[in-house]
Amino acid sequence: MNRLDQTFSRLNAQGKKALITYIMAGDPSLQDTEQLVLELERAGADIIELGVPFSDPIADGPVIQQAAERGLQSGTSLRKILDSVRRLRATTQIPIVLMAYYNNIHAFGEAEFCGKAVDAGIDGLIVPDMPADEAGPLRGPADAAGLHLIFLLAPTSTSSRRAYVAKESGGFVYYVSLTGITGAKLNDMAGVRDNVAKIKKQTKTPVAVGFGVATPEDAASVAQVADGVIVGSAIVRRVGEHGQDGQLVQEVGRFVRSLKAAMQPA
């Protein structure tokens, strides 16, 4: 069974929700990324998202754009990220999802990429600029390799769209909490609650909420309605602030522990 499925099944049996943490691979270096992945797990993360640095990220706000620039400046590539995950698998079995733009995968070659990703230890793939109904080139190779494709839903998604995307998603459905870019503020919790409830009526696949979740209070609120809470920009901002001062791992770990503590069931 895919590590994502195992994790959501275990947490559901325990009455808990998944904390999904995002960092940019190679920010400030791949060696730091490997240390951060292990610290995120120690701090309570259940699933790790690794961003693949890209020069034209359409879904990302300034914080993650700057992280991508730092990752590119450190010489990070998709092949080097897979090598890094392969090294991590000697130490950890935490589920790892790659978040990559399609050009990176197309240049690699879809079939070769999916096979090498799973061999390295990747469990799922999020491609923000590839809607579910345009995923044909990836669907066959991903299914053959056992790689989950995770698709996004938005507040503007229709009922028929929710049903289609939920059917096509593996591992979890990624609900984007707002109509905007990463790093914006979560300000419509009632809307999140309403839309997550609608999605969960249409699928048994877990639903995780991201974009705008920045504080322990946000994480606690989202954990009340969703199966998973995704935190990205708030962590990446700390990486940017502490990447060079020797406190990087400790500061990120401290913040993630506060998120996890806020999500504990009463």
Side-chain angles (χ1 to χ4, degrees), residues 195-207 225-227:
N195 281 311
V196 169
K198 290 176 180 175
I199 299 167
K200 291 177 73 67
K201 285 181 180 177
Q202 295 175 294
T203 182
K204 294 185 182 302
T205 302
V207 180
V225 301
D227 302 296

Side-chain angles (χ1 to χ4, degrees), residues 2-266:
N2 186 293
R3 295 180 191 86
L4 289 169
D5 301 325
Q6 291 176 345
T7 295
F8 276 109
S9 177
R10 172 177 55 80
L11 291 172
N12 183 54
Q14 296 171 344
K16 297 179 179 178
K17 308 300 178 66
L19 174 58
I20 304 171
T21 55
Y22 172 100
I23 55 175
M24 181 65 71
D27 175 26
S29 72
L30 278 174
Q31 184 178 13
D32 290 313
T33 297
E34 292 174 30
Q35 293 181 14
L36 284 170
V37 167
L38 298 178
E39 177 64 10
L40 291 169
E41 182 177 26
R42 285 192 293 268
D46 299 292
I47 296 167
I48 307 289
E49 276 186 33
L50 287 180
V52 177
F54 186 58
S55 58
D56 190 21
I58 60 171
D60 294 318
V63 171
I64 293 182
Q65 287 180 24
Q66 291 163 12
E69 291 175 5
R70 293 192 294 270
L72 290 170
Q73 288 169 2
S74 73
T76 303
S77 67
L78 190 49
R79 291 183 188 276
K80 290 181 179 178
I81 293 170
L82 297 184
D83 290 341
S84 184
V85 172
R86 188 176 292 105
R87 288 192 293 272
L88 281 165
R89 283 297 177 222
T91 307
T92 178
Q93 292 302 308
I94 192 168
I96 297 178
V97 173
L98 279 190
M99 190 163 186
Y101 288 91
Y102 186 61
N103 268 0
N104 281 305
I105 298 165
H106 181 66
F108 199 114
E110 288 83 354
E112 182 183 4
F113 167 75
C114 290
K116 288 187 179 300
V118 171
D119 286 345
I122 299 295
D123 303 289
L125 178 65
I126 301 169
V127 187
D129 56 347
M130 186 186 70
D133 36 6
E134 296 179 10
L138 261 182
R139 172 57 72 191
D143 288 350
L147 182 69
H148 277 323
L149 295 182
I150 299 158
F151 295 108
L152 282 68
L153 283 170
T156 53
S157 298
T158 63
S159 177
S160 60
R161 185 69 183 171
R162 289 194 297 268
Y164 178 73
V165 170
K167 178 174 70 67
E168 293 295 313
S169 284
F172 61 91
V173 177
Y174 192 133
Y175 176 69
V176 176
S177 67
L178 46 84
T179 51
I181 55 177
T182 59
K185 183 176 175 54
L186 177 64
N187 56 15
D188 183 16
M189 195 56 220
V192 171
R193 184 180 299 109
D194 182 53
N195 281 311
V196 169
K198 290 176 180 175
I199 299 167
K200 291 177 73 67
K201 285 181 180 177
Q202 295 175 294
T203 182
K204 294 185 182 302
T205 302
V207 180
V209 174
F211 284 48
V213 184
T215 67
E217 292 75 20
D218 292 338
S221 296
V222 171
Q224 292 178 6
V225 301
D227 302 296
V229 179
I230 304 168
V231 184
S233 293
I235 297 172
V236 172
R237 183 178 295 110
R238 284 164 173 80
V239 175
E241 292 170 349
H242 297 284
Q244 306 299 329
D245 67 7
Q247 297 299 309
L248 173 62
V249 173
Q250 295 89 331
E251 289 296 331
V252 169
R254 184 177 300 123
F255 177 59
V256 171
R257 284 183 177 84
S258 73
L259 297 170
K260 186 70 173 183
M263 291 171 55
Q264 297 303 316

